[in-house]
Amino acid sequence: MTPGLEHFLTVGAILFCLGLTIALSKRNAIGVLMGIEIMLNAVNLTLLSFARFGVGHGPVAGQAFVVFIITVAAAEAAVALALAVSVYRNRDTIDVDKLNLLRS
Amino acid sequence: MDGFGVTFAFWVLTGVTLVAALGVLLSRNLLHAVLFLILTFVGMAGYFVLLSADFLGMAQVLIYVGAIAVLVLFAVLLTPRAGRDNGETRMFLPALLLCGTLLAVILFVITDTNWAVSEEPATVSAAGLGEALLSRWVLPFELASVLLTVALVGSIMLVRSREEEAEDPR
């Protein structure tokens, strides 16, 4: 069965929902971040499949959008992990359920 | 997009990527979860190559597998007393229910929409992509470089230790 647009979109949707489950349910802050990375990747896959199968504004637009998403994802990962390490230094935990105070 | 190789590669990649993503969700050890995450990224790079985005496939391997995975590993190793138990979840069933509903809605939309797929599969060369980034999308491109700089400076500021801040002669 030759993969068409629907197949790629389905894989993207399943991965997005898996990432969302991870981001919503994990208690470790790094686990939450891993879920967010999977969600961003699933969106990239969806955009690239639209670009490949000629839906929307042409292939160049889709690929350029993916380049920007990868850039923003890298910046997000760097800042978020630095935040996690910084919180760990102050509180000795990165369990997101225990981080419920604005003052340290 | 036809031929046995493409079909075979698609289903193998689907199996590997989905199992790896499930591994991130279900593995008990945080380090194992990071390794499964790396496998997910590699599978994604395979999809990108399959979709004729060879430059982005390479960028995916370099940035996600090379940089972001190492960052996550470092963060795990820099928080040694925080517990390596990845299995701890809170409100797992409601989250699963919500995401299952969302998945059902998205799958319904995917199958119900009549996608205007063009017969001629569109491909972009790396040169074409670079030209587009520096002509039509030059403003977002420059903004992205500013964002990267800000993120770099910000994360260095965030993880500086207190002793370094005390020594800083401001």
Side-chain angles (χ1 to χ4, degrees), chain B residues 130-158:
Chain B
E131 249 181 60
L133 279 180
L134 286 178
S135 56
R136 189 172 163 194
W137 284 287
V138 66
L139 187 64
F141 183 76
E142 296 296 334
L143 279 178
S145 48
V146 172
L147 175 76
L148 274 181
T149 317
V150 170
L152 181 72
V153 176
S155 41
I156 291 174
M157 280 297 296
L158 278 172

Side-chain angles (χ1 to χ4, degrees), chain A residues 1-18 20-22 24-28 30-31 34-35 37-38 40-42 44-45 48-64 66-79 81-86 88-90 92-95 97 104, chain B residues 1-2 6-7 10-11 14 17-18 21-22 24-25 30 33-34 37 40-41 44 47-48 50-53 55-56 60 63-64 68 71-72 75-76 78-83 86-92 95-96 98-99 102-103 106-107 110 115-118 121-124 128-129 132-133 137 140-141 144 147-148 151 155 158-162:
Chain A
M1 192 171 173
T2 311
L5 177 61
E6 285 87 357
H7 293 87
F8 285 100
L9 292 183
T10 306
V11 174
I14 294 174
L15 276 173
F16 184 87
C17 291
L18 267 174
L20 189 59
T21 315
I22 295 170
L24 284 178
S25 64
K26 287 293 175 199
R27 293 182 64 179
N28 192 312
I30 297 173
M34 290 199 278
E37 294 298 333
I38 292 181
L40 284 166
N41 253 299
N44 281 348
L45 177 62
L48 276 183
S49 42
F50 279 137
R52 175 68 168 76
F53 289 95
V55 183
H57 292 277
V60 186
Q63 296 211 4
V66 171
V67 169
F68 293 128
I69 291 182
I70 289 180
T71 316
V72 173
E76 174 256 359
V79 173
L81 292 172
L83 272 176
V85 172
S86 179
Y88 171 78
R89 274 195 195 143
N90 284 321
D92 247 20
T93 178
I94 45 171
D95 187 335
D97 282 333
S104 59
Chain B
M1 177 161 288
D2 45 4
V6 172
T7 311
F10 175 80
W11 290 109
T14 303
T17 314
L18 290 185
L22 266 178
V24 178
L25 179 63
L30 195 56
V34 177
L37 185 74
T40 315
F41 290 157
M44 277 293 178
Y47 276 123
F48 290 4
L50 203 60
L51 287 166
S52 314
F55 171 72
L56 285 170
Q60 168 86 4
I63 297 176
Y64 274 96
I68 293 187
L71 258 181
V72 176
V76 172
L78 281 174
T79 54
R81 290 190 300 280
N86 186 49
E88 277 189 354
T89 52
R90 184 181 159 86
M91 305 232 284
F92 182 66
L96 202 64
L98 181 72
C99 296
L102 181 66
L103 181 64
I106 297 177
L107 287 184
I110 288 173
W115 300 105
V117 176
S118 65
T123 56
V124 188
L129 182 61
L133 279 180
W137 284 287
F141 183 76
L147 175 76
L148 274 181
S155 41
L158 278 172
V159 294
R160 275 208 316 180
S161 63
R162 294 217 176 92

